[in-house]
Amino acid sequence: MTDLALSRIATQPVVSHAEMANAIRFLAIDAVENAKSGHPGMPMGMADVATVLFSRFLKFDASDPAWPDRDRFVLSAGHGSMLLYALLHLTGYQGVTPDELKAFRQWGSKTPGHPEYGHTPGVETTTGPLGQGIATAVGMALAERLMNARFGDDLVDHYTYVIAGDGCLMEGISQEAISLAGHLKLGRLIVLYDDNEISIDGSTSLSCSDDQLARFKASGWSATRIDGHDPEAIAAAIRHARHDRRPSLIACRTVIGFGAPNRQGTEKAHGAPLGTEEVEKTRRALDWPHAPFQVPGAITDAWREIGAQGHAARRAWIERSRRLSSTGRSPFHDALNRKLPCGYADAMAQIRTRFGNERPKIATRQASQLVIDVIAEALPNLLGGSADLTHSNLTRAKTQQPVRYDSLDGSYIHYGVREHAMAAAMNGIALHGGFIPYGGTFLSFADYSRPAIRLAALMGIRVIHVMTHDSIGLGEDGPTHQPVEHLASLRAIPNLLVFRPGDAVETAEAWDCALRADTNPSVLCLSRQALPTFRDGEGETNLVAVGAYVVVEPEAGRDVTLIATGSELSIALEAARVLEKDNIRAAVVSAPCFELFRRQSREYRTAVLGRVPRVGVEAAIEGDWARWLGDGGEFVGMTGFGASAPAETLYREFGITADEVAKAALRGIARSRMAVTYA
């Protein structure tokens, strides 16, 4: 038994376990009833498990939610958010007041329908989309082990606990996540499974007959089933899991809606208020004769003591960190403060200047690898990986060694063919702190990663997705692998930076933007085919950082503006030369990041786009190009799926050529002149 557990038993308050757990139950019941919306069943069923976890095992200090060596607690079953809010309130997290519980699911409250990272103190990750929480927790547990390998037990020594439900385990992402965790032997990951055999439609037997314990064991986990309402059985299972070198599943057989005489054990307890009459019956059944939101002082005091019991451990940790030498302390705190080290800027400037001087004709995925080679040495906390496409994504630096269960000092993760889990695990790594995670796959597989990317954007965390083979330009693999709608789809996600660089210099600048964007996730969309370098890279200004800029500006003024991204920029430049032969003055604009361009001033955007007809060029569907092209603009790109053929054939057959861009420009100019004539 741990010293923490012993100290907690020694100072155990006079109130009973049942009273402690019932405080959680009735705060959840009352909040859902007051909101006339929510999910009371899971908090009622898992209150016993949560009480044992928080009172006997979880290392935390409610006065400092960001203490780096705290245990992480992830409520993967995020619909049961009142379980977490009740715990945060009872243990004394600042701001999670009775008024906030009464404002559950209301505008501006700290108690939204599902837990949101950065919105409520003590919430480690945004959950709600089932399966994302458990997969994110895998990343947290991995980050803990990797940090421990670098800095030792004195600074990094904590567990990751998850409460997950049937829905989390039914979602396909869970299999990818548990497989990865089992492979890496993440022994400090403990999943408490709310095994209540109920889903929204009714009994889980309607749709699922999996043997979950066998499934987890097959993936290298320890797995056991217990009575989720027996506090000693719960404690014994957690204690055993903490000493197992494998990740652990504890299937807690519970009764959903525990204590509600007419709702418990049925789907009726899942996602709706119990109703006034049933609430009163539940109060009588559980001997809780207190008014809504009222918790007796002795019970509150006992919970507050639990919230403060980690204070001594936190102070001891702070003292240990202070005793370190400056050379030992600096790398650790540099890793945690999320800032780029001093040597980074020089490294990035070096590779950018090299590209500008050498003007290589290479694929942007190759340029990206060269960038990674340089910055990996300057960023010791850069943590790379790929979903089994390392040699296609080109995401591994020469200096990076693979992460293995028996070699946790590496900095490159072979995620296997697990895009769902990779994206979610990267979120967990970023949330844990200590690393800047990036991972690679093909852009056409972005949809596998999309739920986690969306959550990263919602949370405002720095994760970097390297997505190569970004257009029909990948060629012969055909339409299944050619991403035509993915750029538009990703650009539709708020707060996500989608970069499509057009040459090696822009690739370096896109990486720089992604690394400096500590409140945005980024996607780098990179080409398979070689692209000529059109930038010289001179000067210190990162032009990608403004989203779009003028590459070619005719001296005598513009007749048309050609706007392009990525591999199509060279087509736009060629089209400008074609138009010049007909005395048409074409400006060329590179637009590597629509989101960053949108953030610029109206005056800057107008200066870049001009007040002349515009033509957009991108080997993808039109999407939100219309915003930049205006009513009179033309788009040269894809209107359907691709085909299997060499890249040059595809561009010709789909009409994405300099000649077609020039024709579109002439049509736009003719319409513009006609409009002026008739005006």
Side-chain angles (χ1 to χ4, degrees), residues 138-150 179-186 380-386 390 395-397 399-416 418 425-426 429 435-438:
V138 170
M140 292 178 177
L142 175 57
E144 189 274 341
R145 288 291 81 195
L146 296 175
M147 288 287 284
N148 176 270
R150 287 155 175 76
S179 175
L180 180 62
H183 174 71
L184 292 173
K185 300 188 187 324
L186 300 179
N381 62 333
L382 191 66
L383 184 62
S386 174
T390 296
T395 42
R396 182 176 171 182
T399 57
Q400 287 178 319
Q401 297 301 312
V403 170
R404 300 195 308 266
Y405 73 88
D406 58 350
S407 180
L408 291 167
D409 54 354
S411 58
Y412 190 83
I413 303 167
H414 291 283
Y415 284 103
R418 302 186 185 102
M426 287 198 296
I429 291 166
F435 297 98
I436 301 173
Y438 72 91

Side-chain angles (χ1 to χ4, degrees), residues 60 167 241:
F60 72 106

